[in-house]
Amino acid sequence: MNLLELNEISVEYQLGKNNILALSNVSFSMYPKEILGILGESGSGKSTLALTIMRALPKNARIIGGEVIFNGKNLLNLSEDELNSIRWKEISIIPQNSMNSLSPVHKIRDQLRDILLLHEPKLDEKEVINIMEEKLRLANISEDVLDKFPHQLSGGMRQRILIAASLLCNPEIIIADEPTTGLDVVTQYQILKELKNLQSAKGFSMMIISHDISVISNTSHRTVVMYGGKVVEIGPSDSVVESPLHPYTRMLLEVQMEISKKTQNELHSRTNFNKPHKSVGVNFTHHSGCPFVQRCPFATEKCKTEAPTLLKVNNDHYVSCFLFNK
Amino acid sequence: MEWKDYLLRRSAQLLLTVFFALIINFLIINLAPGDPAALMAGELATKEYIEAVRERWGLNKPIPERLVSYLLNVLQGNLGYSYTYLQSVSTLIAERIPVTLLLTLTSSIIAFFVGLLLAVKTSQKAFSKVDLFVSNMMLTIYSIPSFWLGLMLIGIFGVALRIFPTSGMVNVRSTGSGVFLILDIAYHSILPIVTLATIQVPIYYKIARNTIVEQSSEDYVSTFLMAGMSTSSIFKKYVLRNSLLPPVTVFALHLGYVLSGAALVEVVFGWPGMGRLLLSAVYSRDYPLIMGIYLVTSITVSLANFFVDILYTLLDPRVRYK
Amino acid sequence: MKSKLKSDNNFFYKYLLLWNRFKNYKGGLIGFYLFLVVIFIALFVPFLPLCDPYSIKFQSFLPPSFSHPFGTDEMGRDIFSRVLWGSRTSLSVGFGAALVSSIVGVLFGSLAGYVGGKLDELLSRIIDIFLMIPAFFLILLIVAIYGSSIYYVMLVIGLTTWPSTARIVRAQILSLKEREFIYAQKVIGSSTFRILFAHLIPNSIQPIFANSILQVASAILLEAGLSFLGLGDPNVVSWGKMIYSGTSYIFTSWWIAFFPGIAIVVTVASLNLIGDALVTILSPKTEERGAYA
Ligand SMILES: Nc1ncnc2c1ncn2[C@@H]1O[C@H](COP(=O)(O)OP(=O)(O)O)[C@@H](O)[C@H]1O
Ligand code: SF4
Ligand SMILES: [Mg+2]
């Protein structure tokens, strides 16, 4: 059974007189108790995807079509009240850019308490504190932070607080948007390990979003590869990494291989992964054709005019490319 | 630790500002055409009095010594002697400061809340027609000279409708005391306070609106939204709290503007504060008095800025002591 | 290469773009048209068929009527004519003061921003301190002692209000001086003077322009306040002074103070509306927001 199902989701942003199509017919499912990786370079629509599921897109965004099915309900059709009972209690998120994800003038304690009480209004102060402390321990951070303000904490600590926050109501799904971006190598490694352990201990499903293929391949069971607002490949992470199908995925892997070869002995090798490799700016006005056509070494005339669709290649491995669509 | 450093540095800046204001004042006296002693003694002064003033302020000495003697005088609270009131300038001003502050502070507080309230209303529909209309209205109100507005209010509410007194702080014919005196003062202060509050509302409105609009698209808003908090709760608990500080600093930053507005409004309403004092000083060319008023307002504004800056560091945990 | 160096300097094109965006701001546009009317009046008032603003040949305290649209004052002068003539005083003081203020502000601001280091620190301190001194009282003191001719008033207002310009210019120069085309100028060996005056300052002129318009507005209000206290130039018709003389007659002849006040509000509001629209357009945040404006 699918826990979460995305069907044909399209989202556009209005920017000045232009419309940017950030998601185009995105469909995939999330299974119970799995870690699903979303891989794609910066600007490929990953955060837009996360915000669409949470229905928290910025004002200039418009969902053109599609549905998000959770527990048989389409989240995109729910009333604000119905939605608010699902938010955080069932699906929570560790937002991208944890730097400003909390209010700068409120103590961590007040912010976590507010969130918890929204969904568990009957708790007394003692229980609230117990739960907050328990979750902080799970996120491997001391309770002392409760009386601190966000700016008094390091990036890693803030990220851990947001992890603790996401656990507050024991949700079924946690979305982690670039959970390690901007952190130092050691912290990155620890946080990923902790997230993995938490997931297997608690049994929730987790969506890990990253531009870094090593983050995804080290954590997730299945991987969704996105390019230019479209899903280009889905498959078990092992097969995606070992036998990538889509030319874009192959390119990503080659780049990573090169980098790790070059920097094998360098201490700070990981920092290179953090930078989204040169983003070539996707041509969003060009809706017809394959989104990858401009960078694809295998592109044919057909790729310019027709859009490939996601097709099953072998067990649970799907790709959207004409090379596999004879 | 850090905070003490900041306090120290900020105090130094305060002293520097006050010192700067004093220097300007000193230069103005000494660069003025004619005899500075005669200037400070007044038009009708006798020769002996002019000489006494010269002695007292060291005006017969070279410039550096003059400066020292000037600073020493001011340090002792001696701002000179008003030859029209035949009283020391510091006493004259000290008597009137509370009367002026009553107008200034009350009107600022009212304007703060009115501005904030309007901003809360319009920022919910930022960039809508209503929002733009209110913004333009505010700009127009900001363009009204305070003294004219006061005069028009007198014309409407005092003369035509006869609901408010047109001048003064108390009814000269009544001999009320205690509660009645206070009520009488409050009654007389309504029009001047409304005038002064009106010209300040645009200032608070603008900063509050812009801050709220800015804060409403901060990342933490989206966090709480995704956590299931209603937009109105987020606004009340988080956005508003994050938007309060900039308007508070505006109080100090615009205090100079408000004090000058108050001075003019006092003249219109015959309110016996510093503004009235200033007017009569200007009319009789009572230079020590004008200088005193300039100095006292400068110091008041510097002090207000000092305290608000310190307050800011206490209210806003983010402030880095720069 | 040459054209690349110059491309940032295409004034005409820049202003065309600015106007195209300005047109979308209704408030700013209304302000602009109002201001055109005010300017027209100030420029052509001597040629308009008006009574002499100084002539005292009419009856005093005549209420507004067909022959005297704004009535007559306590000395029997035609208020309509005086209000129109007063625009000249207000606008000259406004523009004169803003000009002085801009020149001094640009000079200090660009020096601070471009030279940087210790000089910047010193100038910034002075700017901060100056901003804290209540301009009105300082201006009043100076004018009271040194005299209140219209040129003095202009000069003094300009010399006390420059720090806000300086601050804007400094920030502007700081961000511009790291840009490519300035770097290119340094590489080809242009002098500091040339870089500053031919490239940096012209390229920061738009924000200064917006600020200057707001300064014209505030200078007009300052002058009105001074004249109201009796410190205006006694030889010219001034709205502030007219309001002051109307104060004594508010019980009987409201029109004496009413119309000059309206003139001030219209003039100052038109400038504030223009200035505010420009500031909004030129702020970097607006560009991000795009269609919302
Ligand atoms: N608020 C916004 N307004 C306009 N365009 C946006 C906005 N947010 C994102 N976009 C655009 O949508 C596309 C996808 O962005 P995003 O979902 O943030 O990608 P990712 O998270 O993969 O980096 C990008 O081209 C980006 O420029
Ligand atoms: S569809 Fe064509 S352009 Fe797109 S990835 Fe496949 S081969 Fe390349
Ligand atoms: Mg993202």
Side-chain angles (χ1 to χ4, degrees):
Chain A
M1 231 265 309
N2 294 338
L3 184 58
L4 186 74
E5 206 177 296
L6 276 61
N7 289 327
E8 302 285 318
I9 292 183
S10 298
V11 173
E12 69 176 11
Y13 288 103
Q14 200 180 36
L15 201 66
K17 291 192 176 72
N18 306 318
N19 287 342
I20 298 171
L21 190 64
L23 291 180
S24 164
N25 294 321
V26 170
S27 304
F28 60 83
S29 306
M30 239 183 127
Y31 307 145
K33 301 183 195 227
E34 77 163 340
I35 301 185
L36 179 67
I38 311 281
L39 175 67
E41 63 191 12
S42 165
S44 56
K46 307 181 300 294
S47 297
T48 306
L49 185 68
L51 295 179
T52 308
I53 297 171
M54 302 303 296
R55 249 176 70 184
L57 286 163
K59 284 205 182 70
N60 62 330
R62 202 166 63 91
I63 300 175
I64 306 173
E67 44 186 16
V68 177
I69 307 291
F70 175 79
N71 272 346
K73 281 179 273 187
N74 180 3
L75 297 187
L76 303 185
N77 285 342
L78 294 186
S79 73
E80 201 70 19
D81 284 345
E82 290 170 310
L83 187 67
N84 279 344
S85 65
I86 290 179
R87 283 169 166 165
W88 228 258
K89 207 164 160 58
E90 313 281 354
I91 309 177
S92 69
I93 184 169
I94 303 163
Q96 188 175 11
N97 190 9
S98 66
M99 185 71 195
N100 306 314
S101 298
L102 291 168
S103 163
V105 299
H106 293 82
K107 288 191 176 151
I108 305 295
R109 177 190 300 280
D110 302 330
Q111 310 198 39
L112 293 188
R113 184 204 284 121
D114 272 357
I115 293 178
L116 185 55
L117 286 177
L118 273 176
H119 301 285
E120 313 282 350
K122 294 202 188 78
L123 295 180
D124 63 36
E125 183 64 18
K126 198 154 184 144
E127 289 166 319
V128 168
I129 291 178
N130 281 340
I131 294 177
M132 290 194 301
E133 290 182 346
E134 177 209 331
K135 304 302 178 191
L136 286 171
R137 267 195 304 279
L138 283 176
N140 205 8
I141 184 166
S142 109
E143 297 108 50
D144 303 348
V145 296
L146 283 176
D147 285 312
K148 297 243 157 76
F149 292 101
H151 75 279
Q152 295 170 309
L153 307 167
S154 70
M157 288 160 97
R158 273 198 292 258
Q159 193 63 10
R160 287 201 160 91
I161 287 168
L162 284 160
I163 293 173
S166 74
L167 295 167
L168 277 174
C169 307
N170 303 315
E172 286 195 59
I173 301 177
I174 294 180
I175 302 173
D177 193 351
E178 307 269 5
T180 56
T181 305
L183 303 177
D184 66 86
V185 187
V186 180
T187 316
Q188 280 196 23
Y189 173 78
Q190 286 173 344
I191 285 188
L192 286 179
K193 206 174 81 183
E194 287 159 22
L195 281 175
K196 245 167 87 174
N197 292 342
L198 271 171
Q199 188 270 337
S200 59
K202 299 269 161 189
F204 52 82
S205 284
M206 184 155 64
M207 184 185 287
I208 291 195
I209 295 177
S210 180
H211 62 268
D212 184 342
I213 198 165
S214 66
V215 167
I216 300 291
S217 64
N218 284 331
T219 51
S220 52
H221 306 127
R222 286 194 308 134
T223 299
V224 174
V225 185
M226 291 187 63
Y227 187 86
K230 289 187 174 174
V231 174
V232 295
E233 183 166 356
I234 303 180
S237 298
D238 293 344
S239 11
V240 171
V241 172
E242 271 149 36
S243 48
L245 299 175
H246 197 276
Y248 173 61
T249 320
R250 286 188 224 169
M251 204 177 88
L252 279 179
L253 276 160
E254 272 161 33
V255 173
Q256 194 218 0
M257 228 94 89
E258 259 170 54
I259 296 175
S260 55
K261 235 185 274 162
K262 249 192 261 166
T263 56
Q264 239 163 15
N265 300 319
E266 283 176 35
L267 207 67
H268 299 294
S269 64
R270 282 298 195 87
T271 49
N272 280 327
F273 289 117
N274 296 336
K275 291 181 194 136
H277 47 270
K278 201 174 58 186
S279 170
V280 184
V282 184
N283 188 355
F284 283 101
T285 49
H286 193 260
H287 287 173
S288 62
C290 170
F292 192 52
V293 67
Q294 275 148 337
R295 291 163 76 187
C296 182
F298 311 105
T300 61
E301 275 309 306
K302 187 184 180 190
C303 307
K304 282 183 197 156
T305 50
E306 277 180 56
T309 48
L310 210 56
L311 284 179
K312 187 168 182 163
V313 174
N314 48 45
N315 39 7
D316 231 17
H317 200 156
Y318 298 75
V319 68
S320 159
C321 169
F322 288 124
L323 293 177
F324 305 90
N325 184 7
K326 299 283 149 48
Chain B
M1 283 295 267
E2 223 183 342
W3 193 75
K4 265 188 193 155
D5 281 356
Y6 174 75
L7 196 67
L8 222 68
R9 238 172 315 153
R10 191 60 188 77
S11 313
Q13 199 195 331
L14 171 69
L15 289 180
L16 210 66
T17 313
V18 172
F19 181 71
F20 195 74
L22 286 171
I23 294 288
I24 291 183
N25 202 356
F26 175 78
L27 288 178
I28 288 172
I29 311 169
N30 283 279
L31 295 179
D35 178 6
L39 193 73
M40 295 200 44
E43 277 156 17
L44 303 172
T46 59
K47 259 218 165 64
E48 292 75 41
Y49 183 62
I50 293 179
E51 286 318 309
V53 168
R54 200 187 304 286
E55 192 62 35
R56 167 124 194 137
W57 294 87
L59 292 174
N60 46 4
K61 301 196 185 110
I63 295 281
E65 278 173 59
R66 270 191 213 182
L67 180 60
V68 172
S69 124
Y70 169 75
L71 292 177
L72 283 178
N73 267 305
V74 174
L75 222 59
Q76 290 161 9
N78 177 13
L79 297 177
Y81 191 76
S82 157
Y83 45 82
T84 44
Y85 284 87
L86 301 177
Q87 249 179 319
S88 87
V89 169
S90 26
T91 327
L92 274 171
I93 294 178
E95 273 169 11
R96 279 156 178 88
I97 283 182
V99 183
T100 295
L101 284 187
L102 172 69
L103 285 191
T104 316
L105 294 182
T106 323
S107 63
S108 291
I109 292 168
I110 294 173
F112 175 89
F113 284 108
V114 174
L116 193 66
L117 207 72
L118 271 173
V120 167
K121 291 271 176 254
T122 60
S123 60
Q124 312 276 310
K125 292 192 188 127
F127 311 109
S128 68
K129 280 217 166 76
V130 181
D131 180 35
L132 293 178
F133 176 75
V134 173
S135 287
N136 289 331
M137 270 318 288
M138 287 292 142
L139 279 171
T140 310
I141 292 176
Y142 188 64
S143 312
I144 302 178
S146 55
F147 52 92
W148 181 75
L149 180 63
L151 200 56
M152 291 305 115
L153 291 183
I154 291 177
I156 297 168
F157 296 101
V159 180
L161 302 177
R162 295 171 180 280
I163 15 187
F164 287 111
T166 56
S167 168
M169 191 163 87
V170 288
N171 189 340
V172 278
R173 263 162 298 179
S174 84
T175 47
S177 61
V179 183
F180 291 103
L181 182 67
I182 291 172
L183 283 178
D184 197 27
I185 292 178
Y187 184 45
H188 278 79
S189 68
I190 290 178
L191 280 188
I193 285 176
V194 167
T195 311
L196 267 180
T198 308
I199 64 161
Q200 291 175 74
V201 167
I203 302 171
Y204 289 109
Y205 167 77
K206 184 174 181 147
I207 182 105
R209 181 214 166 266
N210 290 351
T211 317
I212 293 175
V213 169
E214 210 176 281
Q215 289 292 326
S216 302
S217 57
E218 284 290 324
D219 288 338
Y220 65 82
V221 173
S222 140
T223 307
F224 288 111
L225 184 77
M226 294 190 289
M229 199 179 278
S230 69
T231 335
S232 60
S233 298
I234 299 176
F235 187 81
K236 273 183 239 147
K237 285 190 188 156
Y238 290 94
V239 174
L240 210 53
R241 172 69 182 77
N242 270 290
S243 309
L244 280 181
L245 285 176
V248 171
T249 40
V250 155
F251 166 75
L253 283 176
H254 287 265
L255 185 59
Y257 169 80
V258 177
L259 282 176
S260 62
L264 293 164
V265 169
E266 283 180 6
V267 170
V268 175
F269 285 94
W271 189 261
M274 295 225 287
R276 272 292 296 279
L277 195 64
L278 186 66
L279 182 73
S280 64
V282 165
Y283 268 108
S284 46
R285 292 290 189 260
D286 191 338
Y287 297 115
L289 193 49
I290 306 181
M291 283 175 207
I293 291 172
Y294 155 71
L295 266 185
V296 169
T297 47
S298 298
I299 293 170
T300 311
V301 172
S302 310
L303 274 175
N305 277 284
F306 174 77
F307 284 122
V308 165
D309 280 359
I310 299 296
L311 191 71
Y312 211 114
T313 62
L314 298 178
L315 292 180
D316 187 341
R318 274 166 308 178
V319 173
R320 298 237 314 276
Y321 312 108
K322 243 174 74 186
Chain C
M1 173 99 183
K2 189 119 198 189
S3 70
K4 169 129 179 66
L5 290 187
K6 283 212 148 167
S7 62
D8 273 66
N9 267 339
N10 193 336
F11 266 163
F12 179 72
Y13 184 61
K14 263 183 158 178
Y15 278 91
L16 194 70
L17 281 183
L18 191 62
W19 171 249
N20 276 334
R21 299 183 57 194
F22 183 81
K23 280 192 309 197
N24 300 324
Y25 287 77
K26 223 183 229 150
L29 211 59
I30 292 174
F32 182 72
Y33 291 130
L34 274 179
F35 189 65
L36 283 186
V37 174
V38 177
I39 282 275
F40 175 86
I41 290 173
L43 287 177
F44 296 106
V45 70
F47 310 110
L48 299 178
L50 291 170
C51 328
D52 177 356
Y54 298 100
S55 146
I56 50 174
K57 64 183 174 207
F58 306 110
Q59 201 186 321
S60 308
F61 302 117
L62 283 177
S65 66
F66 188 72
S67 52
H68 300 287
F70 293 175
T72 62
D73 67 8
E74 75 280 11
M75 293 168 77
R77 297 172 296 195
D78 178 59
I79 295 178
F80 183 65
S81 163
R82 289 176 67 74
V83 165
L84 296 197
W85 276 89
S87 64
R88 300 195 130 198
T89 312
S90 279
L91 288 185
S92 338
V93 172
F95 280 101
L99 189 71
V100 173
S101 163
S102 301
I103 291 174
V104 181
V106 166
L107 222 62
F108 279 101
S110 53
L111 262 180
Y114 191 72
V115 179
K118 282 264 179 298
L119 182 70
D120 181 27
E121 224 163 88
L122 180 75
L123 288 176
S124 299
R125 253 304 105 73
I126 294 181
I127 291 171
D128 283 348
I129 289 176
F130 231 106
L131 278 173
M132 230 175 268
I133 289 177
F136 181 74
F137 294 96
L138 180 57
I139 294 166
L140 194 133
L141 172 59
I142 299 177
V143 171
I145 294 184
Y146 289 75
S148 54
S149 95
I150 185 169
Y151 300 104
Y152 245 99
V153 172
M154 264 179 219
L155 194 70
V156 174
I157 294 180
L159 287 180
T160 44
T161 53
W162 60 269
S164 72
T165 316
R167 203 182 236 189
I168 293 169
V169 177
R170 174 178 170 273
Q172 195 72 11
I173 300 272
L174 275 181
S175 78
L176 276 176
K177 79 174 177 185
E178 306 299 338
R179 291 254 293 271
E180 225 169 281
F181 71 103
I182 297 299
Y183 182 71
Q185 287 292 332
K186 280 187 198 157
V187 171
I188 64 172
S190 300
S191 70
T192 301
F193 184 82
R194 203 184 135 70
I195 293 178
L196 208 49
F197 283 89
H199 299 281
L200 283 175
I201 293 178
N203 275 296
S204 31
I205 216 85
Q206 284 195 348
I208 303 171
F209 179 59
N211 180 61
S212 300
I213 287 180
L214 295 175
Q215 285 201 324
V216 175
S218 80
I220 291 177
L221 280 181
L222 277 173
E223 190 276 337
L226 284 179
S227 308
F228 180 75
L229 287 181
L231 286 172
D233 190 329
N235 303 314
V236 295
V237 185
S238 148
W239 292 334
K241 207 162 52 185
M242 292 168 75
I243 295 175
Y244 180 71
S245 49
T247 312
S248 320
Y249 309 104
I250 188 69
F251 293 93
T252 48
S253 316
W254 55 270
W255 54 89
I256 301 182
F258 177 74
F259 291 107
I262 293 290
I264 297 179
V265 176
V266 168
T267 310
V268 176
S270 72
L271 287 159
N272 276 334
L273 286 166
I274 299 172
D276 188 72
L278 285 177
V279 169
T280 317
I281 292 171
L282 295 173
S283 91
K285 276 185 203 133
T286 312
E287 260 163 50
E288 280 168 31
R289 203 176 62 233
Y292 280 88

